Amino acid sequence: GLLGRLGVVGLEAVRHREGAQRLHIMRVERDRAFEITDRYRLIGVELTKRLVGWKHSTGDDFVYPLMLGLGLGRIGCFLTGLDDHTYGTPTTWFTGVDFGDGVYRHPTQLYEILFLIVLALLLLPLYRQSRGRSTREGYVSGRMFQWFMAGYLLFRLVIDWIKPTPHPYLGLNNIQLACIAGLIYYAWLIGGRNWLRRFMPGSHLPS
């Protein structure tokens, strides 16, 4: 009868909604896994270079191309809207953007583009030193890439607090844990060894 048909239609609607929710969760987890893999891959490259004794930087030349690629990618994420799952949490800030569902959210994609522009300007002195265009001597090969990674990891650590993803690890998510691990490593590369040499003159640490 009519009630039976309505019941079947209602059941199918519930199943469709549950399937859409599961698909959404799977896409979010996939995107998070890709981002975590990218960050661990960069850290892994640095660790491998240390293990095999490779002294020269392979990263300084790629800093600005990487930043350009990240910026262009975030433009695509922003234009994709809700389907990309890179937006932020709902907000009442003047920066809030309606991605089509009537809810104003943090446009974290635009925040990242703005951050990359600022970081690019801050890294200009190191770029000049890496190209020998500065009067300052003593530039350490790879230092520009290290500061880029430290800055970007710090930004991602902060920005992920306003993203609608689960934060099960004392208020942190998987990406933030990877960022903390990377920040510890790059802090050691940038300043930790010099501090240890200062207080332990007899220690033999690589440059």
Side-chain angles (χ1 to χ4, degrees), residues 63-77:
V63 169
Y64 282 119
L66 278 172
M67 297 174 78
L68 178 61
L70 286 169
L72 292 175
R74 289 312 178 196
I75 292 175
C77 293

Side-chain angles (χ1 to χ4, degrees), residues 113-187:
I113 293 172
L114 178 61
F115 168 78
L116 289 170
I117 293 173
V118 173
L119 184 60
L121 295 175
L122 292 175
L123 290 176
L124 276 176
L126 286 177
Y127 175 78
R128 291 174 59 85
Q129 291 179 41
S130 70
R131 292 295 184 271
R133 299 174 186 172
S134 172
T135 57
R136 183 175 178 180
E137 298 180 356
Y139 176 79
V140 178
S141 178
R143 185 54 48 88
M144 179 181 174
F145 180 77
Q146 293 166 7
W147 275 109
F148 159 69
M149 284 298 301
Y152 186 71
L153 290 172
L154 181 60
F155 168 80
R156 287 307 306 266
L157 174 65
V158 174
I159 202 68
D160 265 57
W161 267 308
I162 58 170
K163 286 193 174 183
T165 56
H167 293 73
Y169 309 109
L170 299 176
L172 303 172
N173 61 21
N174 294 333
I175 291 176
Q176 288 174 308
L177 292 179
C179 288
I180 290 173
L183 283 169
I184 293 173
Y185 174 69
Y186 283 106

Side-chain angles (χ1 to χ4, degrees), residues 47-58:
L47 289 174
T48 301
K49 286 164 55 181
R50 295 291 163 180
L51 289 174
V52 302
W54 187 267
K55 301 295 184 182
H56 301 289
S57 170
T58 57

